[in-house]
Amino acid sequence: MNGGNAMLNTIHRQVVVVGAGAAGLTAAISAARNGAETLLIEYQGYLGGISSTLAWIGFHDQDYRQVVKGLPYEFIQRMWAAGQASPFELDIKCSSIISINNHYWKILAMQMVQEAGVQLMLHTQVVETLREGDRITGVIVEHKSGRQKITADVVIDCTGDGDVAARGGVAWEKGRTADGLVQAPTLVFRLGGLDRSEFIEGCKDPEINYREWIHPYPDLWEKTMKRIDQMQVIITGGFAGLMEKARLAGDYDVPQTRLVGVKTHQPDQFLVVSTRVLGLDPTSVESMTDAYTRLYQQVPDLMRFFKNWMPGGKETYLMEIAPMMGVRESRRIMGDYVLSANDIVNGREFDDVIALGGYHIDIHRPSGTWVDSKNVQTYDIPYRCLIAGDVEGLMMAGKCLSATHEGVASTRVIPICMAQGQAVGTAAALAVKAKKSPRDIDIRQLQNTLIDQGAELRQTLGGPDYEAIERIGQLPKDEPPTTGDADQASQTAQAWIK
Ligand SMILES: Cc1cc2nc3c(=O)[nH]c(=O)nc-3n(C[C@H](O)[C@H](O)[C@H](O)COP(=O)(O)OP(=O)(O)OC[C@H]3O[C@@H](n4cnc5c(N)ncnc54)[C@H](O)[C@@H]3O)c2cc1C
């Protein structure tokens, strides 16, 4: 009989992806489709990570061009074919939103991983990183069968926490410059029983101000009101007055002054994204445990808010709490290039572009209330942001991309994480095939492969969608910073741009 800590046989795979969230599962499918023998390691018992609890935003840019295509779009097309997602709803702030059946997404993710021939290891945690000199050579995992050494030609860190990098002594950063605090996390939950018509009537009341971005601009308000009855998916970010009344009445005590959430395409469901704790350290077990304790206490407060104060909320009931806390930001791995707010706001182009983004900079304030936001131009994500600095053999994508606190606040949304995933998996496979370090592969070959496999890059991007701009409207590019109480350490949008 083996002891509990038995070291099992060492295995080798050409590409090992750690973390099966939006970024990791896309990376693994792409690596396998491009011919690499690929292993995907995931701590949970399902695929999708935090993406399996949310609606997806940011497939488009602020000119309503679809800037994320390729494998992420293939996922959506398969969700549509199965009748499990809404159409794209174009949106003035988030560019676009698509509401999915989150449970079906887990099923589809599993199907697509299997179709691609990816080997899976679930309920498996990476606990150590193997490093020989300046080369990352693999990982040690723990699972029910014991401990196991896994070596690889290329390891891809998609843990969202940069666990592989941190354990391998690779440089990382965490949080904002002023005090190292990360964006506020949220435990997402879903309510059923919403009266859609009453809810929409409430949204039409300017006093209620359901979405603060629109309110200051009468033309945008008018255009939105013309469409709202037909919208299948409605994003909220307001209701501040009602929340304050609820607070004074003792019904609500959450450090979030706006209702952040999504009226999903399922007619009576609402995704509540409004729980919140301040001061989380996502790499500390004490801090994570404390955050869960507080977040679970906030769910009944928000349920009360819906029942007693929200238009259409009287009959709402709790359907589901996300299986994991939504950590918006954790370790960011320092790569060969660090994407900044400046690059994103000004829509910088890079020769080594491997994905595009058009989502605004969206910081759920680490302290204070509500968010800091800055509109952006369509920007390039350079390949160098996927390559961990100062080592060979380690790449990354998703939340732990090489970017600043403000940069990752745009690149972190699901479609853009997936676009990075497609690029990193493809690059790893090309590196394996060419027997080269990922740093040395032919970037044109990578770009051409991505384009052949449907990805949108600068080379393929068309012009603005003028019809949509006219119909939906556009926020001014220099829109002033958001309302809510900015704390001292929150930078103003302009101060990010050096
Ligand atoms: C509350 C919240 C709301 C959001 N709302 C939206 C939204 O509406 N729309 C949108 O598009 N985006 C939204 N985002 C952003 C987006 O969902 C995430 O940034 C994105 O899904 C991150 O994907 P990822 O693959 O990088 O990380 P994750 O989804 O965090 O995946 C990481 C995976 O790695 C696994 N893992 C971690 N460590 C280890 C280890 N050591 N060993 C093995 N496995 C490990 C985890 O279990 C997890 O499955 C939201 C984020 C949050 C937190």
Side-chain angles (χ1 to χ4, degrees):
M1 260 212 305
N2 284 330
N5 271 340
M7 186 61 108
L8 303 163
N9 291 344
T10 299
I11 58 170
H12 180 86
R13 295 292 177 269
Q14 291 173 323
V15 175
V16 168
V17 181
V18 186
L25 77 93
T26 316
I29 293 171
S30 297
R33 283 185 179 181
N34 284 286
E37 192 188 23
T38 305
L39 172 69
L40 177 59
I41 300 171
E42 169 55 47
Y43 177 61
Q44 306 284 346
Y46 62 91
L47 305 178
I50 194 69
S51 77
S52 67
T53 68
L54 293 160
W56 300 2
I57 47 187
F59 266 98
H60 292 72
D61 68 4
Q62 298 189 342
D63 289 332
Y64 304 115
R65 291 178 288 197
Q66 192 182 331
V67 293
V68 177
K69 293 183 180 164
L71 182 51
Y73 188 44
E74 193 184 323
F75 286 137
I76 291 300
Q77 287 171 311
R78 291 202 39 180
M79 295 289 284
W80 280 334
Q84 301 291 344
S86 74
F88 283 130
E89 194 73 69
L90 297 180
D91 180 78
I92 49 142
K93 191 68 191 174
C94 297
S95 73
S96 63
I97 182 160
I98 190 157
S99 162
I100 61 164
N101 177 333
N102 305 73
H103 300 293
Y104 191 82
W105 164 230
K106 294 183 197 171
I107 297 169
L108 179 68
M110 192 65 88
Q111 277 170 3
M112 289 182 66
V113 158
Q114 282 171 336
E115 284 166 15
V118 172
Q119 184 192 344
L120 259 184
M121 245 188 205
L122 294 178
H123 284 305
T124 302
Q125 186 173 16
V126 165
V127 291
E128 274 180 47
T129 300
L130 303 171
R131 180 173 177 154
E132 290 169 17
D134 68 353
R135 173 170 290 279
I136 299 299
T137 56
V139 290
I140 305 271
V141 296
E142 271 195 11
H143 41 54
K144 289 284 182 191
S145 315
R147 278 196 144 217
Q148 192 161 20
K149 183 173 171 179
I150 302 170
T151 58
D153 298 340
V154 180
V155 181
I156 305 177
D157 188 339
C158 291
T159 60
D161 289 314
D163 279 2
V164 181
R167 287 174 186 159
V170 176
W172 50 269
E173 288 182 0
K174 192 173 53 177
R176 59 187 174 185
T177 317
D179 52 16
L181 287 181
V182 300
Q183 291 201 35
T186 293
L187 183 65
V188 179
F189 65 94
R190 188 182 294 261
L191 295 174
L194 186 76
D195 184 318
R196 184 179 184 275
S197 313
E198 273 185 37
F199 169 76
I200 290 181
E201 285 314 305
C203 293
K204 288 179 184 169
D205 179 350
E207 285 290 307
I208 283 184
N209 196 359
Y210 88 100
R211 193 106 191 278
E212 292 189 356
W213 311 112
I214 306 176
H215 210 245
Y217 306 102
D219 60 322
L220 291 183
W221 178 260
E222 201 182 308
K223 286 178 190 220
T224 308
M225 289 305 111
K226 262 194 202 151
R227 292 186 298 125
I228 196 161
D229 286 310
Q230 280 74 50
M231 283 186 197
Q232 286 203 33
V233 190
I234 299 175
I235 316 177
T236 68
F239 294 93
L242 284 187
M243 288 191 128
E244 188 50 27
K245 281 187 191 161
R247 190 186 303 278
L248 292 173
D251 266 352
Y252 178 77
D253 182 23
V254 174
Q256 174 58 285
T257 49
R258 274 51 177 185
L259 180 73
V260 182
V262 179
K263 162 74 203 68
T264 71
H265 69 300
Q266 294 100 335
D268 68 336
Q269 294 183 21
F270 196 96
L271 202 57
V272 186
V273 193
S274 279
T275 64
R276 186 174 207 254
V277 293
L278 302 175
L280 172 83
D281 177 356
T283 62
S284 148
V285 68
E286 289 84 9
S287 180
M288 285 291 281
T289 306
D290 173 62
Y292 270 109
T293 314
R294 287 190 278 153
L295 288 166
Y296 270 98
Q297 284 169 6
Q298 293 174 10
V299 174
D301 268 38
L302 279 150
M303 287 166 61
R304 232 179 356 259
F305 171 73
F306 266 81
K307 273 195 168 297
N308 296 344
W309 300 89
M310 270 293 280
K314 209 164 165 204
E315 304 296 329
T316 49
Y317 59 92
L318 180 62
M319 288 182 70
E320 177 194 19
I321 299 181
M324 56 160 79
M325 181 199 321
V327 172
R328 290 190 169 83
E329 186 191 358
S330 184
R331 295 189 194 98
R332 292 168 280 108
I333 304 169
M334 293 297 102
D336 286 357
Y337 184 80
V338 182
L339 195 67
S340 69
N342 209 15
D343 296 331
I344 288 178
V345 170
N346 296 313
R348 184 154 172 209
E349 298 185 21
F350 293 93
D351 277 350
D352 60 338
V353 53
I354 46 76
L356 302 178
Y359 184 74
H360 65 113
I361 292 179
D362 179 13
I363 300 178
H364 288 244
R365 290 188 177 122
S367 46
T369 66
W370 192 212
V371 295
D372 279 310
S373 157
K374 177 78 184 158
N375 294 337
V376 306
Q377 310 278 339
T378 309
Y379 60 87
D380 289 357
I381 301 178
Y383 179 51
R384 285 162 293 157
C385 291
L386 306 178
I387 303 174
D390 299 326
V391 286
E392 298 294 341
L394 180 64
M395 306 185 78
M396 60 276 185
K399 270 184 326 197
C400 43
L401 183 79
S402 178
T404 62
H405 164 74
E406 294 82 11
V408 95
S410 167
T411 61
R412 69 187 179 86
V413 287
I414 294 159
I416 305 179
C417 285
M418 289 180 168
Q420 298 162 40
Q422 180 172 10
V424 82
T426 308
L430 291 180
V432 167
K433 215 177 283 176
K435 295 193 173 29
K436 284 184 175 169
S437 156
R439 192 167 268 119
D440 298 328
I441 63 167
D442 178 350
I443 184 67
R444 298 286 164 259
Q445 188 191 1
L446 172 61
Q447 290 169 332
N448 289 338
T449 309
L450 289 170
I451 290 170
D452 286 349
Q453 295 176 3
E456 189 82 329
L457 298 186
R458 189 66 69 168
Q459 297 87 317
T460 53
L461 186 65
D465 183 339
Y466 293 110
E467 181 280 320
I469 293 173
E470 177 54 32
R471 184 166 44 88
I472 316 274
Q474 253 181 339
L475 286 171
K477 296 272 189 244
D478 57 350
E479 186 199 12
T482 337
T483 51
D485 314 314
D487 59 304
Q488 290 205 330
S490 281
Q491 312 283 315
T492 65
Q494 280 69 25
W496 303 336
I497 319 295
K498 301 258 162 41

